[in-house]
CSV table of all heavy atoms in Angstrom, one decimal:
chain,number,residue,atom,x,y,z
A,1193,PRO,N,92.6,119.8,99.4
A,1193,PRO,CA,94.0,119.6,99.5
A,1193,PRO,C,94.3,118.4,100.3
A,1193,PRO,O,93.5,118.0,101.1
A,1193,PRO,CB,94.4,120.9,100.3
A,1193,PRO,CG,93.3,121.8,100.1
A,1193,PRO,CD,92.1,121.0,100.0
A,1194,GLU,N,95.4,117.7,100.0
A,1194,GLU,CA,95.8,116.5,100.7
A,1194,GLU,C,96.1,116.9,102.2
A,1194,GLU,O,96.8,117.8,102.5
A,1194,GLU,CB,97.0,115.9,100.1
A,1194,GLU,CG,96.8,115.3,98.7
A,1194,GLU,CD,95.8,114.1,98.8
A,1194,GLU,OE1,95.8,113.4,99.8
A,1194,GLU,OE2,95.1,113.9,97.8
A,1195,VAL,N,95.5,116.1,103.0
A,1195,VAL,CA,95.7,116.3,104.5
A,1195,VAL,C,96.1,115.0,105.1
A,1195,VAL,O,95.3,114.0,104.9
A,1195,VAL,CB,94.4,116.8,105.2
A,1195,VAL,CG1,94.6,116.9,106.7
A,1195,VAL,CG2,93.9,118.1,104.6
A,1196,GLU,N,97.2,114.9,105.7
A,1196,GLU,CA,97.7,113.6,106.2
A,1196,GLU,C,97.2,113.5,107.7
A,1196,GLU,O,97.6,114.3,108.5
A,1196,GLU,CB,99.2,113.6,106.2
A,1196,GLU,CG,99.8,113.5,104.8
A,1196,GLU,CD,99.4,112.3,104.1
A,1196,GLU,OE1,99.1,111.2,104.8
A,1196,GLU,OE2,99.3,112.3,102.9
A,1197,PRO,N,96.3,112.6,107.9
A,1197,PRO,CA,95.8,112.4,109.3
A,1197,PRO,C,96.9,111.9,110.2
A,1197,PRO,O,97.9,111.4,109.8
A,1197,PRO,CB,94.7,111.2,109.1
A,1197,PRO,CG,94.4,111.2,107.7
A,1197,PRO,CD,95.6,111.7,107.0
A,1198,GLN,N,96.8,112.2,111.5
A,1198,GLN,CA,97.8,111.9,112.4
A,1198,GLN,C,97.6,110.6,113.2
A,1198,GLN,O,98.4,110.2,113.9
A,1198,GLN,CB,97.9,113.1,113.5
A,1198,GLN,CG,97.9,114.4,112.8
A,1198,GLN,CD,98.7,115.4,113.5
A,1198,GLN,OE1,99.1,115.3,114.6
A,1198,GLN,NE2,99.0,116.5,112.8
A,1199,ASP,N,96.4,110.0,112.9
A,1199,ASP,CA,96.1,108.7,113.5
A,1199,ASP,C,96.9,107.6,112.8
A,1199,ASP,O,97.3,107.8,111.7
A,1199,ASP,CB,94.6,108.4,113.5
A,1199,ASP,CG,93.8,109.6,114.0
A,1199,ASP,OD1,93.8,110.6,113.4
A,1199,ASP,OD2,93.2,109.4,115.1
A,1200,SER,N,97.0,106.5,113.5
A,1200,SER,CA,97.5,105.3,112.8
A,1200,SER,C,96.3,104.4,112.5
A,1200,SER,O,95.2,104.9,112.3
A,1200,SER,CB,98.5,104.6,113.7
A,1200,SER,OG,98.0,104.3,114.9
A,1201,ASN,N,96.5,103.1,112.4
A,1201,ASN,CA,95.4,102.1,112.2
A,1201,ASN,C,94.7,102.4,110.9
A,1201,ASN,O,93.5,102.5,110.8
A,1201,ASN,CB,94.4,102.2,113.4
A,1201,ASN,CG,95.0,101.9,114.7
A,1201,ASN,OD1,95.9,101.1,114.8
A,1201,ASN,ND2,94.5,102.5,115.7
A,1202,GLU,N,95.5,102.5,109.8
A,1202,GLU,CA,94.8,102.7,108.5
A,1202,GLU,C,94.2,101.4,108.0
A,1202,GLU,O,94.7,100.4,108.1
A,1202,GLU,CB,95.9,103.2,107.5
A,1202,GLU,CG,95.3,103.6,106.2
A,1202,GLU,CD,96.2,104.5,105.4
A,1202,GLU,OE1,97.2,105.0,105.9
A,1202,GLU,OE2,95.9,104.6,104.2
A,1203,LEU,N,92.9,101.6,107.5
A,1203,LEU,CA,92.1,100.5,107.1
A,1203,LEU,C,91.9,100.6,105.6
A,1203,LEU,O,91.9,101.6,105.0
A,1203,LEU,CB,90.7,100.5,107.8
A,1203,LEU,CG,90.8,100.5,109.3
A,1203,LEU,CD1,89.4,100.6,109.9
A,1203,LEU,CD2,91.4,99.3,109.9
A,1204,THR,N,91.7,99.4,105.0
A,1204,THR,CA,91.4,99.4,103.6
A,1204,THR,C,89.9,99.2,103.4
A,1204,THR,O,89.3,98.3,103.9
A,1204,THR,CB,92.1,98.3,102.8
A,1204,THR,OG1,93.5,98.5,103.0
A,1204,THR,CG2,91.7,98.3,101.4
A,1205,MET,N,89.2,100.1,102.7
A,1205,MET,CA,87.8,100.1,102.5
A,1205,MET,C,87.5,99.3,101.2
A,1205,MET,O,88.1,99.5,100.2
A,1205,MET,CB,87.2,101.5,102.4
A,1205,MET,CG,87.4,102.3,103.6
A,1205,MET,SD,86.3,101.9,105.0
A,1205,MET,CE,84.8,102.5,104.3
A,1206,LYS,N,86.5,98.4,101.3
A,1206,LYS,CA,86.1,97.6,100.1
A,1206,LYS,C,84.7,97.7,99.7
A,1206,LYS,O,84.3,97.3,98.6
A,1206,LYS,CB,86.5,96.2,100.3
A,1206,LYS,CG,88.0,95.9,100.5
A,1206,LYS,CD,88.3,94.5,100.6
A,1206,LYS,CE,89.8,94.3,100.7
A,1206,LYS,NZ,90.2,92.8,100.9
A,1207,SER,N,83.8,98.2,100.6
A,1207,SER,CA,82.4,98.2,100.4
A,1207,SER,C,81.7,99.5,100.2
A,1207,SER,O,80.5,99.6,100.2
A,1207,SER,CB,81.7,97.4,101.5
A,1207,SER,OG,81.9,98.1,102.7
A,1208,THR,N,82.5,100.6,100.2
A,1208,THR,CA,81.9,101.9,100.1
A,1208,THR,C,82.0,102.6,98.8
A,1208,THR,O,81.7,103.8,98.6
A,1208,THR,CB,82.4,102.8,101.2
A,1208,THR,OG1,83.8,102.9,101.1
A,1208,THR,CG2,82.0,102.3,102.6
A,1209,ASP,N,82.6,101.9,97.8
A,1209,ASP,CA,82.7,102.6,96.4
A,1209,ASP,C,81.3,102.7,95.9
A,1209,ASP,O,80.5,101.7,96.0
A,1209,ASP,CB,83.5,101.7,95.5
A,1209,ASP,CG,85.0,101.6,95.9
A,1209,ASP,OD1,85.3,102.3,96.9
A,1209,ASP,OD2,85.7,100.8,95.3
A,1210,THR,N,81.0,103.8,95.3
A,1210,THR,CA,79.6,104.1,94.9
A,1210,THR,C,79.6,104.7,93.5
A,1210,THR,O,80.6,105.2,93.0
A,1210,THR,CB,78.9,105.1,95.8
A,1210,THR,OG1,79.5,106.4,95.7
A,1210,THR,CG2,78.9,104.6,97.2
A,1211,TRP,N,78.5,104.7,92.8
A,1211,TRP,CA,78.3,105.5,91.6
A,1211,TRP,C,76.9,106.0,91.5
A,1211,TRP,O,76.0,105.4,92.1
A,1211,TRP,CB,78.7,104.6,90.4
A,1211,TRP,CG,77.8,103.4,90.2
A,1211,TRP,CD1,78.2,102.1,90.6
A,1211,TRP,CD2,76.6,103.3,89.5
A,1211,TRP,NE1,77.2,101.2,90.2
A,1211,TRP,CE2,76.2,101.9,89.6
A,1211,TRP,CE3,75.7,104.2,88.9
A,1211,TRP,CZ2,75.0,101.4,89.1
A,1211,TRP,CZ3,74.5,103.7,88.4
A,1211,TRP,CH2,74.1,102.4,88.5
A,1212,TYR,N,76.7,107.1,90.8
A,1212,TYR,CA,75.4,107.5,90.4
A,1212,TYR,C,75.4,108.3,89.1
A,1212,TYR,O,76.5,108.7,88.6
A,1212,TYR,CB,74.8,108.4,91.6
A,1212,TYR,CG,75.5,109.6,91.9
A,1212,TYR,CD1,75.1,110.9,91.5
A,1212,TYR,CD2,76.7,109.6,92.8
A,1212,TYR,CE1,75.7,112.1,91.9
A,1212,TYR,CE2,77.3,110.7,93.1
A,1212,TYR,CZ,76.9,112.0,92.7
A,1212,TYR,OH,77.5,113.1,93.1
A,1213,VAL,N,74.2,108.4,88.5
A,1213,VAL,CA,74.1,109.0,87.2
A,1213,VAL,C,73.2,110.2,87.3
A,1213,VAL,O,72.1,110.1,87.9
A,1213,VAL,CB,73.6,108.0,86.1
A,1213,VAL,CG1,73.4,108.7,84.8
A,1213,VAL,CG2,74.5,106.8,86.0
A,1214,VAL,N,73.6,111.3,86.7
A,1214,VAL,CA,72.8,112.5,86.6
A,1214,VAL,C,72.5,112.8,85.2
A,1214,VAL,O,73.4,112.8,84.3
A,1214,VAL,CB,73.6,113.7,87.3
A,1214,VAL,CG1,72.8,115.0,87.1
A,1214,VAL,CG2,73.9,113.5,88.7
A,1215,ASP,N,71.2,113.1,84.9
A,1215,ASP,CA,70.9,113.3,83.5
A,1215,ASP,C,71.1,114.8,83.1
A,1215,ASP,O,71.5,115.6,83.9
A,1215,ASP,CB,69.4,112.9,83.2
A,1215,ASP,CG,68.4,113.7,83.9
A,1215,ASP,OD1,68.7,114.8,84.4
A,1215,ASP,OD2,67.2,113.2,83.9
A,1216,ARG,N,70.7,115.2,81.9
A,1216,ARG,CA,71.0,116.5,81.4
A,1216,ARG,C,70.2,117.6,82.2
A,1216,ARG,O,70.7,118.7,82.4
A,1216,ARG,CB,70.5,116.7,79.9
A,1216,ARG,CG,70.8,118.0,79.3
A,1216,ARG,CD,70.4,118.1,77.9
A,1216,ARG,NE,71.2,117.2,77.0
A,1216,ARG,CZ,72.3,117.6,76.5
A,1216,ARG,NH1,72.8,118.8,76.8
A,1216,ARG,NH2,73.0,116.7,75.7
A,1217,GLU,N,69.1,117.2,82.8
A,1217,GLU,CA,68.3,118.1,83.6
A,1217,GLU,C,68.7,118.1,85.0
A,1217,GLU,O,68.2,118.9,85.8
A,1217,GLU,CB,66.8,117.7,83.5
A,1217,GLU,CG,66.1,118.1,82.2
A,1217,GLU,CD,66.6,117.2,81.1
A,1217,GLU,OE1,66.7,115.9,81.3
A,1217,GLU,OE2,66.9,117.7,80.0
A,1218,GLY,N,69.7,117.3,85.4
A,1218,GLY,CA,70.3,117.4,86.7
A,1218,GLY,C,69.6,116.4,87.7
A,1218,GLY,O,69.8,116.5,88.9
A,1219,ARG,N,68.8,115.5,87.1
A,1219,ARG,CA,68.1,114.5,88.0
A,1219,ARG,C,68.9,113.2,88.2
A,1219,ARG,O,69.6,112.8,87.2
A,1219,ARG,CB,66.7,114.1,87.4
A,1219,ARG,CG,65.8,115.3,87.4
A,1219,ARG,CD,64.3,114.9,87.2
A,1219,ARG,NE,63.5,116.1,87.2
A,1219,ARG,CZ,63.0,116.6,88.3
A,1219,ARG,NH1,63.2,116.1,89.5
A,1219,ARG,NH2,62.2,117.7,88.2
């Protein structure tokens, strides 16, 4: 569920986007 943090100082992330591939057997 969406949770709004109470802190300020919001940062924009640019280097943590990731991807991975799982095959039919789950590897």
Side-chain angles (χ1 to χ4, degrees):
E1194 291 295 329
V1195 178
E1196 292 299 330
Q1198 313 215 344
D1199 308 67
S1200 53
N1201 301 326
E1202 187 160 346
L1203 305 176
T1204 301
M1205 299 284 289
K1206 295 182 179 179
S1207 61
T1208 56
D1209 295 353
T1210 67
W1211 60 264
Y1212 59 104
V1213 176
V1214 175
D1215 67 13
R1216 184 180 292 278
E1217 286 70 44
R1219 295 192 180 278

